[in-house]
Amino acid sequence: MSPGPEAEEKTMDRIPDVLPHDAHNATLISNVRPPEWRNPEPVPRYNLVVIGAGTAGLVTAAGAAGLGAKVALVERHLLGGDCLNTGCVPSKAIIRSSRVVSDLRDADQFGIKASIGIEVDFPAVMERMRRLRARVSEHDSAKRFKELGVDVFLGEGRFSNPDTVEVAGKTLRFRKAVIATGSRPAEPSVEGLAEVGFLTNETVFSLTERPRRLAVIGGGPIGCELAQAFRRLGCEVTLFHNASHILNREDSDAAEIIQQSFIRDGIRLVLNCKTKKVEKKDGDKVIHIECGGSTEAIAVDEILVGAGRAPNVEGLNLEAVGVQYDKREGVKVNDHLQTSNPSIYAAGDICLNYKFTHTADATARIVIQNALFLGRRKLTSLTIPWCTYTDPEIAHVGMYEKEARERGFEVETITRWLNDVDRAILDGEDKGFVKIHVKKGTDKILGATIVARHAGEMISEISLAIGGNLGLKTLANVIHTYPTQAEAIKQVADSYNRTRLTPFIKGLFSRWLAWRR
Ligand SMILES: Cc1cc2nc3c(=O)[nH]c(=O)nc-3n(C[C@H](O)[C@H](O)[C@H](O)COP(=O)(O)OP(=O)(O)OC[C@H]3O[C@@H](n4cnc5c(N)ncnc54)[C@H](O)[C@@H]3O)c2cc1C
């Protein structure tokens, strides 16, 4: 029996508009929200119903289906979620273009005269981003997930009973469910901001024209990455942050290097000021701030807000199924990622403080095991690194020194500055350091921070060491290819070994060697 027009309409909720309407976005849509998609007929009961098809939902669904589970995946917007559509992928594409600008700017330091001057073709930069995003979107396509054996339902998911989810007029019965609905940009409560209008990560990647003057509100990872990228792409950028330093969750010596890089890029930093109100005046967006008793009005063309994330808990009917949540913190889970309803789990941004794609992925893997195979894997067992992709990048894993001391460790910190590392000097990328904290008197690594142009690539070695319980002595024995910036890690380990050489042991060595002469 064919469905009537009303049911047909309910097959999918409205198709989201992804701007601009060009061939690249058409490819993106055809992969992650195919207009011709027809939701399948649900099976009588699923092993797993996953709500949300960002990284957490996709990894859960693909992994569970691969192990033989019958899985339904529900997505109201675009498969791929934030990372593919409005987060990591588009931001890293434009950051790459912005690095070309800085390389050209500094070309004379390498003996290269870029005498024709630099002209950023902003529409072309954005087009490149859309083209690459469309290409990457194949990995997250509805077709691919169907081929993996996942029943993909496009539409808004909502719990209707303790063991059912409703989507686009269909009822999905489940044995276990996973909430992977992610997060969205939090809106700061600034008078007039909503009326004047602002960009977020959900809209900024649709720009085709460069705003001449851009205000970025928020000096955390998202705000900093985008502020620097847009500055290098030619916008006049003012970055507003409500602390005395950007990236203030990182160690101040690390954040200071990034801050100096921003100043060199020509970003205006407005730190520790109160944003009183925003208004529209003569076609400008005017931001009124108050700083240490004085006031200032800053006129811009666009405002980009990157000031924290809000979990997508609304509309899921969580109360009805006994899932506890908090509007700011998200869905509450135990260490096994189980919610207060034992049949419902959560993964990714919706339940984590660590809002990263790799943690969405890692928690999805825990959920598969715990929800389907009576596993007892723990969130707290994960070693979670992160990286902010400014230039230079700042990456961290494990504990900060202060945190380690608060947790009762005596800490020894060894730092290697990149201006002492051959490859960093040769690359002209010598602003930064590798800093590793060990438990005093041992080589046990408690945490590390790396500031380097490719810190995100370098931190994995230390994550492996922490996760694999390998100490600094082991890292000292790893042969690193010469010359690489990662040698800085080995040099930290070598420094550690030298501290073990007490005068007594050195004396013994001297006597042994004298005897052997
Ligand atoms: C600008 C920016 C840059 C970033 N860069 C990086 C980076 O470089 N590296 C990194 O690790 N992380 C980065 N992140 C963070 C990363 O994007 C997120 O941590 C990651 O996407 C979280 O994945 P998720 O699956 O938990 O949630 P999401 O990706 O948010 O996916 C959740 C999905 O659930 C859907 N959904 C919500 N409610 C419902 C419902 N009721 N029914 C059906 N579907 C629903 C949403 O439409 C969405 O598709 C960045 C974020 C931003 C904003």
Side-chain angles (χ1 to χ4, degrees):
M1 201 169 70
S2 70
E6 203 178 305
E8 186 74 6
E9 191 157 289
K10 280 195 138 188
T11 305
M12 287 201 307
D13 292 349
R14 115 199 115 76
I15 296 169
D17 207 11
V18 181
L19 297 172
H21 296 141
D22 69 350
H24 306 311
N25 280 346
T27 305
L28 176 79
I29 290 284
S30 71
N31 280 328
V32 297
R33 186 79 193 199
E36 72 290 353
W37 191 259
R38 289 285 166 266
N39 286 336
E41 262 324 299
V43 298
R45 180 149 70 176
Y46 288 96
N47 294 100
L48 211 56
V49 169
V50 183
I51 309 181
T55 305
L58 291 173
V59 174
T60 309
L67 292 168
K70 197 65 206 155
V71 183
L73 177 64
V74 182
E75 172 55 53
R76 70 178 174 191
H77 191 49
L78 305 174
L79 274 81
D82 256 9
C83 182
L84 170 69
N85 299 293
T86 57
C88 333
V89 169
S91 62
K92 268 73 240 175
I94 67 162
I95 284 171
R96 182 66 186 91
S97 294
S98 75
R99 281 196 175 194
V100 174
V101 177
S102 82
D103 285 347
L104 288 172
R105 179 191 68 190
D106 296 339
D108 59 339
Q109 291 176 19
F110 297 82
I112 310 292
K113 295 235 177 303
S115 51
I116 46 170
I118 305 167
E119 191 187 326
V120 175
D121 183 348
F122 186 82
V125 168
M126 299 308 269
E127 199 213 318
R128 172 182 181 273
M129 175 275 290
R130 295 194 301 275
R131 174 166 49 80
L132 300 181
R133 179 175 61 180
R135 180 171 146 195
V136 173
S137 70
E138 280 175 29
H139 304 150
D140 296 352
S141 71
K143 184 167 158 269
R144 176 165 172 254
F145 276 76
K146 186 180 174 186
E147 283 164 7
L148 291 173
V150 175
D151 280 357
V152 177
F153 292 85
L154 298 181
E156 176 122 17
R158 176 178 189 276
F159 289 101
S160 42
N161 277 305
D163 66 346
T164 56
V165 167
E166 298 287 324
V167 52
K170 296 202 190 293
T171 302
L172 315 179
R173 282 189 72 212
F174 63 80
R175 177 73 75 174
K176 296 280 165 58
V178 182
I179 305 168
T181 50
S183 63
R184 61 179 185 277
E187 193 176 323
S189 59
V190 175
E191 187 192 327
L193 185 64
E195 293 72 24
V196 161
F198 58 92
L199 299 166
T200 67
N201 70 293
E202 292 178 351
T203 46
V204 73
F205 299 112
S206 295
L207 286 179
T208 50
E209 275 178 43
R210 173 175 53 204
R212 188 170 68 80
R213 298 161 303 172
L214 178 69
V216 178
I217 297 183
I222 294 174
C224 281
E225 286 184 7
L226 294 178
Q228 190 180 37
F230 279 102
R231 171 64 197 140
R232 288 179 169 187
L233 293 174
C235 301
E236 287 171 28
V237 172
T238 308
L239 176 60
F240 297 78
H241 189 50
N242 58 4
S244 58
H245 222 286
I246 60 166
L247 296 173
N248 54 299
R249 291 200 185 150
E250 301 293 344
D251 284 342
S252 56
D253 55 355
E256 175 62 20
I257 297 173
I258 317 300
Q259 189 154 308
Q260 288 307 318
S261 171
F262 278 23
I263 291 168
R264 183 163 176 257
D265 281 328
I267 295 172
R268 180 177 173 203
L269 298 173
V270 177
L271 301 170
N272 243 348
C273 296
K274 184 147 185 43
T275 310
K276 301 291 285 179
K277 66 169 182 173
V278 181
E279 63 177 348
K280 203 137 198 188
K281 215 171 179 184
D282 305 328
D284 290 340
K285 297 181 178 185
V286 181
I287 304 174
H288 295 267
I289 55 167
E290 189 183 289
C291 279
S294 58
T295 59
E296 191 184 349
I298 299 172
V300 295
D301 301 299
E302 282 292 358
I303 300 170
L304 169 61
V305 171
R309 309 285 301 167
N312 292 324
V313 287
E314 297 79 5
L316 288 164
N317 203 17
L318 295 178
E319 296 80 0
V321 285
V323 171
Q324 287 177 8
Y325 67 94
D326 178 296
K327 283 201 162 173
R328 285 167 64 97
E329 305 290 326
V331 168
K332 296 189 177 179
V333 286
N334 63 19
D335 206 13
H336 302 288
L337 293 169
Q338 198 172 30
T339 69
S340 46
N341 178 333
S343 301
I344 302 177
Y345 288 72
D349 278 13
I350 187 66
C351 63
L352 300 176
N353 287 330
Y354 301 102
K355 294 190 182 354
F356 307 110
T357 293
H358 46 272
T359 43
D361 181 308
T363 50
R365 288 162 201 262
I366 292 182
V367 162
I368 294 170
Q369 225 169 307
N370 291 357
L372 295 180
F373 298 102
L374 310 173
R376 305 296 292 160
R377 285 197 60 202
K378 291 182 175 178
L379 176 63
T380 47
S381 71
L382 295 177
T383 303
I384 301 174
W386 56 86
C387 181
T388 299
Y389 298 89
T390 45
D391 187 12
E393 296 172 355
I394 176 166
H396 180 84
V397 64
M399 288 181 253
Y400 293 97
E401 184 175 346
K402 185 166 171 274
E403 189 186 353
R405 289 192 197 288
E406 281 166 7
R407 286 165 70 168
F409 290 99
E410 273 198 85
V411 183
E412 199 178 327
T413 298
I414 306 166
T415 304
R416 181 72 172 173
W417 287 85
L418 292 187
N419 57 13
D420 272 332
V421 176
D422 291 0
R423 183 58 188 270
I425 295 169
L426 299 171
D427 284 341
E429 296 173 357
D430 60 350
K431 301 223 169 12
F433 57 68
V434 170
K435 181 163 72 169
I436 301 182
H437 312 298
V438 288
K439 184 175 166 198
K440 198 173 172 129
T442 75
D443 73 338
K444 186 181 169 57
I445 302 171
L446 298 174
T449 296
I450 301 180
V451 181
R453 204 170 202 212
H454 306 286
E457 306 286 345
M458 292 164 72
I459 199 77
S460 299
E461 181 176 350
I462 304 182
S463 304
L464 173 67
I466 295 178
N469 223 356
L470 308 172
L472 268 191
K473 280 190 224 158
T474 307
L475 291 189
N477 286 332
V478 175
I479 301 176
H480 289 68
T481 45
Y482 177 86
T484 49
Q485 296 193 23
E487 272 190 297
I489 296 170
K490 181 179 164 55
Q491 289 164 359
V492 166
D494 286 339
S495 302
Y496 166 81
N497 273 348
R498 280 195 293 279
T499 65
R500 304 298 103 187
L501 205 58
T502 60
F504 174 70
I505 294 177
K506 208 169 168 190
L508 282 182
F509 283 175
S510 296
R511 263 178 281 158
W512 163 261
L513 291 168
W515 179 66
R516 298 286 291 167
R517 276 202 282 272

